[in-house]
Amino acid sequence: MTNKNYAVIGDVLCDLSEDLRKRFGVDGYLKGHMTVPAGKEERELPTTLDWSYMPQTEFYAHLKANKKVYKTAPASAEETVEYLEPFLAAGRDVLILSISSKLSVSYNLMLNAKKTLEAKYPNRKVIVVDSLKYSSGLGLLVIKACELRDKGLTIEENAAELDRVKSTVHQMGAMDDLFFVASKGRITHAKAFMGTLVGVKPMGDFNADGMVTVLAKVKGYDKAYKAIVEYIKRTIVEPENQIIIVAQTVREKHQAILAKMIEEQIKPKEIILSDIYPADGINVGPGLLAAYYYGTPITDLARETEVIKQVIEGI
């Protein structure tokens, strides 16, 4: 039984392309705002899940050269109301997933919009799920929401299941430059890893709040690939039944290598190669290569820290 009586909406930070949104039946995404350089001035543009602002390679080069200019902001409560109201007016409830409430005010703004909309449409429902994730971690949960809807779950059942599984979404990958995630407050204990040698790759996973925690460092991509794959092997659950997203910021060659290694050694149901679009890219920066998947529940990262330590000792 397929239940399309409610819409599944993602935050723009889910990094799901138009093709992926169409494939899985995502009804839309809530745009935010970004501040960009414009000559000697700055201007504000909407954030979108495409490269309409600037091609990917050019964007990340420009971002690196203008680190302190680029900024992002979420949609306001009023803008959220304006975007969601047509779904309710058409007789559909709305399930919307936000970036982690620990990283942005988006969740609270969505809750404010929910109050306004449900007062105006008392026979309709708006359920907001705090994903406690961002980027492709959030994207995996948006995909899950669509799959659960297709299985016939009600909007309430869907939201409850998302709340149950969101603590099992992992990120493992390598970053070249921690400036962006550190300056945007998306990483814990960043100072201990800043100023590292060229070629040293900090390796991180989500903590329980969706912030990236650097668990270790390796030298060079060859060791990074091996560490990522081995870490996934030790923390993933039922890989044969799940999709793994491998995302990158101007690291397409490395993305292809990592995806092939994951396919050969872990054998998931599917691997999706994904870009990280400007809304997230501004906060992540160039040089990210990471895999996103469902695994063991994340709590205080004690187990994950021990796992990566053992992995690195073995490579």
Side-chain angles (χ1 to χ4, degrees), residues 225-272:
Y225 298 141
K226 292 176 183 177
I228 293 168
V229 172
E230 190 59 34
Y231 182 88
I232 295 173
K233 285 181 184 178
R234 299 186 189 197
T235 55
I236 198 169
V237 173
E238 298 181 354
E240 68 278 5
N241 294 326
Q242 65 169 288
I243 294 167
I244 294 177
I245 297 178
V246 180
Q248 54 80 33
T249 57
V250 286
R251 291 295 180 270
E252 290 181 327
K253 179 182 75 173
H254 304 89
Q255 180 189 47
I257 293 169
L258 178 60
K260 184 177 181 182
M261 291 177 67
I262 291 172
E263 182 178 16
E264 291 174 348
Q265 297 184 45
I266 298 173
K267 298 179 171 57
K269 181 174 71 173
E270 182 180 356
I271 297 173
I272 289 175

Side-chain angles (χ1 to χ4, degrees), residues 14 33 53 56 68 70 72 93 138 162 173 185 190 199 221 237 261 286:
C14 68
H33 306 275
Y53 166 60
Q56 179 182 191
K68 295 183 179 180
Y70 279 95
T72 58
D93 297 332
L138 171 56
L162 294 174
Y221 272 110
V237 173
M261 291 177 67

